[in-house]
Amino acid sequence: MNVTASFAFLLTASFYLLPGCSSAQQPVRDTKILIVYLSRTNNTKAVAEIIQEEVGGRLVPLELEKPYPQDYRSTVQQVAAENESGYLPPLKTRIDSMEQYSVVFVGFPTWGMQLPPPMKSFLKQYDLSGKKVVPFNTNGGYGIGSSFQTVKELCPNSTVIEGYTIKGGLERDGQMLVIEGAKRKEVAAEVQQWLRRIKVAVSLD
């Protein structure tokens, strides 16, 4: 091998050995990922942002045409009435070209031990057939209730992946955003483990 050829070989080898040049070592930044979330106390928002930091994708907050009242008890009463009647509140949020996404993360708090009506509206409004749907949840300490099961029921033609849940705030007791600071770092570590376990990122690599 002559000097010129040797130099070219070493230059090429060095390029592939540089940190960050191997896609297998980097977080997946795939535009086919959509992260939709509903958040009142910003705890679900914090988890959504952590997920985006890990896998990239588009982050979209769910907003209503007519927002819920600021008063907690008034919102609880309204949500209870919506759950009883099956009313689906109209969404202000619009998502174009849903067909371009292959993985859709859906994040929400537990309201009345159920999936919040706005997330039901989203899952009813958009056809997620053939996509991987990944739920994630924050709650006041009482768990997911029937929310993950409802996601499965509303996405019968999707592959619903194992979800993630974590205790967030408790608005009833005046605990709002708690997933911040040291707690956010703990949740980020859990989310990283969860994402590796469900292998969503691997499937898109």
Side-chain angles (χ1 to χ4, degrees):
M1 183 180 294
N2 60 39
V3 174
T4 302
S6 297
F7 177 78
F9 172 80
L10 290 172
L11 184 62
T12 303
S14 298
F15 175 81
Y16 284 107
L17 290 173
L18 282 173
C21 288
S22 171
S23 62
Q25 297 175 358
Q26 295 297 310
V28 173
R29 303 292 175 185
D30 199 305
T31 56
K32 295 181 180 179
I33 296 176
L34 177 67
I35 305 167
V36 179
Y37 70 90
L38 174 72
S39 193
R40 183 174 168 91
T41 60
N42 287 328
N43 289 287
T44 306
K45 177 184 178 183
V47 177
E49 291 173 343
I50 291 170
I51 292 171
Q52 187 188 40
E53 289 168 8
E54 294 299 318
V55 302
R58 179 185 175 193
L59 192 65
V60 178
L62 273 191
E63 298 180 354
L64 298 179
E65 289 185 358
K66 184 179 180 181
Y68 286 112
Q70 291 292 327
D71 179 69
Y72 170 74
R73 294 189 182 280
S74 297
T75 296
V76 169
Q77 293 173 357
Q78 181 175 330
V79 169
E82 290 173 350
N83 283 332
E84 184 175 353
S85 66
Y87 176 75
L88 299 178
L91 300 176
K92 178 181 178 181
T93 302
R94 298 288 185 269
I95 300 176
D96 298 326
S97 304
M98 181 62 79
E99 65 276 4
Q100 70 180 294
Y101 302 106
S102 56
V103 176
V104 180
F105 287 83
V106 290
F108 45 83
T110 302
W111 284 0
M113 300 307 292
Q114 298 185 45
L115 186 69
M119 186 55 71
K120 294 177 186 176
S121 294
F122 170 76
L123 295 176
K124 284 278 192 178
Q125 182 173 335
Y126 292 95
D127 182 9
L128 303 183
S129 297
K131 304 181 187 300
K132 292 183 178 180
V133 176
V134 192
F136 61 98
N137 164 271
T138 62
N139 60 82
Y142 301 97
I144 62 173
S146 61
S147 63
F148 282 12
Q149 180 59 37
T150 302
V151 171
K152 291 181 180 179
E153 292 170 357
L154 294 177
C155 301
N157 299 314
S158 307
T159 301
V160 180
I161 307 296
E162 171 194 340
Y164 171 79
T165 184
I166 187 71
K167 185 178 183 298
L170 189 58
E171 187 178 1
R172 182 195 65 193
D173 295 342
Q175 297 177 3
M176 305 302 277
L177 177 62
V178 299
I179 302 178
E180 58 181 346
K183 179 66 174 179
R184 192 183 192 282
K185 292 180 180 178
E186 292 177 10
V187 173
E190 287 189 11
V191 168
Q192 289 171 356
Q193 293 178 357
W194 167 60
L195 291 171
R196 284 196 295 267
R197 185 168 66 251
I198 64 177
K199 300 180 180 179
V200 168
V202 172
S203 69
L204 292 174
D205 196 0

